[in-house]
Amino acid sequence: MDPFVGFGHLVSSIRRISRIGGALSLCLVHAFALCADMRGGASLRLRWPAALVAVVAAAVTAAAAAGHGDHNFHRDFDAVWGKGNARFRDGGRMVELTLDEQTGARLQSKERFLFGRFDLEIKLVRGESAGTITSFYICSGGARHDEVDFEFLGNVSGEPYLLHTNIFSDGKGEREQQFVLWFDPTADFHTYSILWNPHNIILYIDGTPIRVFKNNEAYGVPFPTRQPVHVFASIWNAEEWATQGGRVKTDWSRAPFVATYRRYNVSNACVWDAAGAGASRCAGGGGGWMRRRMDWWSWMTLNWVRMNYMAYDYCADRKRFPHRFPAECIIPIGRTPKKKQPG
């Protein structure tokens, strides 16, 4: 089939595909791109997926938006740092976080959660953004804290953002993975999601899985299961490391730097009841998200993202780990090894 004919058929099917989910949609895109590549158009291998991902993601995001709950930044968050740099818009349904020479800003959810899916749409700082970090993360606090990070490292004008992700469990982090993106995150809003259940942590962009951290406690890898977390959104200055390892500093003549957040959604999450017996209340008993794991299609999509857009993986950094990689890196991705039988 000619790629352009195939593209037309794919676009006409987007509405149906979006019901299946972002992962399957993107996998179909990958298959289409592979067909184009096999016809000899090697340069199409990256360009076709990027264009088609944008179309599919728009449909999936629109479908997901209908499920967003009645969440309000002004009502659901406290400005715990740089209160004057948090500007609530549209009756609290949108917030602008600003970084200037005096301060940045950080929001913290009023409620805590033990497991959940956390979705947030973000539009990043446009133009010159070197030295800045725009973030969305969950964190329990404390010396032995659990934390899952989306951190967007700004860059000089015309250069792409770098998405820096990290996962802490029982106070141990240093699990960095970094990605370039297949779209301009400053031109429009995109949905960034953290799914956290007893089986795994999955990070998504517009419904596409980009990272998974499995529960491998049985093999000595701590996994967050006991500490409730707050949800955070922030913008701050990290010029000592954020852009090209700190070689490019923040240009304060371009301040203020503004990142915009909207459509915060925790409809699928378990609210921690600190006043009660230290238990959590899960809407609908937890639902399918509490049991969700990566399926075959999701692993295909994740591997495609890793091959095309991963810029750094701590599990491949032999300078940091010259003798032995961390335990979770040795366990084959996508499956858990069998336990050794006694005797």
Side-chain angles (χ1 to χ4, degrees):
M1 178 185 289
D2 186 85
F4 293 92
V5 175
F7 175 75
H9 289 316
L10 180 62
V11 170
S12 68
S13 302
I14 291 257
R15 192 177 301 273
R16 295 192 303 274
I17 293 172
S18 66
R19 299 195 196 104
I20 303 174
L24 176 55
S25 302
L26 194 51
C27 284
L28 293 176
V29 169
H30 304 165
F32 175 74
L34 181 60
C35 289
D37 190 37
M38 291 174 64
R39 289 188 54 178
S43 63
L44 294 177
R45 187 171 62 89
L46 290 179
R47 275 186 280 165
W48 272 111
L52 295 175
V53 164
V55 177
V56 174
V60 173
T61 303
H68 282 270
D70 180 27
H71 297 289
N72 183 295
F73 287 101
H74 197 273
R75 181 193 64 210
D76 297 337
F77 285 81
D78 292 317
V80 294
W81 174 56
K83 184 174 183 180
N85 282 19
R87 299 181 177 87
F88 298 95
R89 308 291 191 191
D90 191 23
R93 287 181 287 274
M94 179 182 295
V95 63
E96 295 175 348
L97 299 185
T98 301
L99 171 66
D100 54 37
E101 283 194 85
Q102 284 68 48
T103 186
R106 182 184 299 119
L107 300 183
Q108 174 183 294
S109 65
K110 294 180 179 179
E111 293 183 313
R112 291 189 296 167
F113 307 91
L114 186 64
F115 303 123
R117 175 164 176 147
F118 311 92
D119 303 295
L120 192 56
E121 289 190 11
I122 310 173
K123 182 161 65 174
L124 301 181
V125 176
R126 299 202 69 167
E128 186 76 18
S129 58
T132 71
I133 291 184
T134 302
S135 67
F136 159 47
Y137 60 103
I138 59 175
C139 183
S140 64
R144 302 180 67 173
H145 68 288
D146 300 326
E147 182 174 341
V148 182
D149 299 326
F150 276 103
E151 293 183 322
F152 299 90
L153 313 186
N155 215 329
V156 293
S157 296
E159 294 296 323
Y161 266 84
L162 191 65
L163 170 57
H164 178 94
T165 69
N166 202 353
I167 295 173
F168 292 75
S169 54
D170 198 28
K172 175 178 169 36
E174 298 183 335
R175 298 185 175 102
E176 301 91 346
Q177 289 184 356
Q178 296 180 339
F179 304 84
V180 294
L181 301 172
W182 52 89
F183 54 86
D184 179 359
T186 73
D188 204 350
F189 289 93
H190 291 269
T191 303
Y192 305 93
S193 307
I194 300 169
L195 173 68
W196 169 39
N197 64 30
H199 307 294
N200 45 215
I201 295 167
I202 308 174
L203 304 186
Y204 297 90
I205 300 177
D206 291 329
T208 299
I210 66 163
R211 180 171 186 176
V212 62
F213 183 72
K214 295 182 64 178
N215 185 341
N216 285 310
E217 284 190 308
Y219 303 92
V221 182
F223 186 85
T225 56
R226 293 170 290 276
Q227 299 187 84
V229 301
H230 287 283
V231 181
F232 293 87
S234 66
I235 186 170
W236 49 292
N237 179 41
E239 63 179 5
E240 69 277 5
W241 70 274
T243 304
Q244 299 177 33
R247 291 187 295 274
V248 182
K249 304 301 181 182
T250 305
D251 182 357
W252 293 110
S253 69
R254 304 297 186 98
F257 305 99
V258 181
T260 308
Y261 297 75
R262 73 179 187 185
R263 289 181 176 166
Y264 165 64
N265 181 27
V266 289
S267 298
N268 296 313
C270 301
V271 179
W272 183 256
D273 184 8
S280 57
R281 307 185 310 275
C282 304
W289 66 266
M290 184 64 92
R291 300 181 297 274
R292 184 167 301 162
R293 307 179 194 221
M294 297 281 287
D295 58 17
W296 183 76
W297 289 106
S298 298
W299 282 117
M300 281 187 60
T301 308
L302 182 87
N303 288 330
W304 181 83
V305 171
R306 289 173 60 89
M307 286 189 295
N308 288 280
Y309 297 105
M310 177 175 277
Y312 174 81
D313 182 8
Y314 76 109
C315 284
D317 191 340
R318 292 198 174 274
K319 289 184 178 180
R320 285 179 62 186
F321 308 104
H323 304 296
R324 183 179 176 85
F325 286 118
E328 67 271 16
C329 299
I330 300 170
I331 300 171
I333 191 168
R335 65 183 187 274
T336 301
K338 295 180 179 179
K339 295 182 181 180
K340 293 182 179 180
Q341 297 298 322

